[in-house]
Amino acid sequence: MIVSLAVLAGSLLLLGWSLLTFGPILTPLMLVAALGVVIGVVLVLRQRLRRAPVWIVIDGSNVLYWRDETPSLHTVRQCVEGLVRNGWTPLLWFDANVGYLVGSQYMGPHELSRALRYPASHINVAPKGTPADPLLIEQAEELGARIVTNDRFRDWVETYPQVADPDLFLRGSASDQGVSLRFAEEPERKRA
């Protein structure tokens, strides 16, 4: 936004200087300034019209097992792709052992990003010894977001009473045909 406004302001100043110096004569400097004004206006409008993300938190450690109870990052990737197609901006959470479940070494956000073809800035791995569940529940609460999982979080109801609300969750499954999310069965959660 700052760059857009700087381009716009600089172009307007250049256009004004060109008009004062040369008058209303079409000069290359005036054309550059006019082009800069148009680009600046387009950039500012584009920034203003951009929709705020509609966050959804994915329990990656749960989705990992949706197909045949076998951990697969491919299943998670299909889930992310389906959510993105439907207008969501997913944030993923995994337990620290995810790399050992799908491979032979620790995987952090950058390694998972490459495997999932999704930005590392939207991928979280819980610290070793800390379950991802409370972290993803807290993030969903902060963002007013739903959680993609088939987990019922029964162990966390006392600490996080919001998990008793079935509208918090978006359930799904995976098969040879891909990931199926149950949008029709789940009412949209009210946003703050």
Side-chain angles (χ1 to χ4, degrees), residues 73 94-100 102-116 125:
L73 287 176
F94 292 95
D95 291 315
N97 68 342
V98 65
Y100 298 102
V102 298
S104 61
Q105 62 185 4
Y106 174 81
M107 291 178 81
H110 294 289
E111 294 83 9
L112 289 166
S113 173
R114 283 190 291 278
L116 297 170
V125 178

Side-chain angles (χ1 to χ4, degrees), residues 62-91:
N62 180 269
V63 174
L64 204 61
Y65 285 93
W66 279 8
R67 182 157 185 225
D68 302 326
E69 300 289 320
T70 303
S72 169
L73 287 176
H74 182 69
T75 304
V76 178
R77 183 172 54 228
Q78 288 179 320
C79 181
V80 168
E81 290 168 353
L83 290 165
V84 169
R85 271 193 309 275
N86 283 283
W88 300 91
T89 303
L91 297 169

Side-chain angles (χ1 to χ4, degrees), residues 16-125:
W17 177 81
S18 180
L19 284 171
L20 288 174
T21 305
F22 301 108
I25 299 170
L26 194 59
T27 64
L29 192 59
M30 186 181 275
L31 288 174
V32 169
L35 181 62
V37 169
V38 170
I39 290 170
V41 168
V42 168
L43 290 173
V44 168
L45 288 175
R46 189 173 137 211
Q47 186 71 26
R48 291 210 174 244
L49 295 176
R50 185 176 290 161
R51 289 187 308 159
V54 180
W55 300 110
I56 191 158
V57 177
I58 298 177
D59 181 356
S61 294
N62 180 269
V63 174
L64 204 61
Y65 285 93
W66 279 8
R67 182 157 185 225
D68 302 326
E69 300 289 320
T70 303
S72 169
L73 287 176
H74 182 69
T75 304
V76 178
R77 183 172 54 228
Q78 288 179 320
C79 181
V80 168
E81 290 168 353
L83 290 165
V84 169
R85 271 193 309 275
N86 283 283
W88 300 91
T89 303
L91 297 169
L92 289 93
W93 277 95
F94 292 95
D95 291 315
N97 68 342
V98 65
Y100 298 102
L101 295 172
V102 298
S104 61
Q105 62 185 4
Y106 174 81
M107 291 178 81
H110 294 289
E111 294 83 9
L112 289 166
S113 173
R114 283 190 291 278
L116 297 170
R117 297 184 208 134
Y118 196 66
S121 61
H122 289 39
I123 300 173
N124 303 283
V125 178

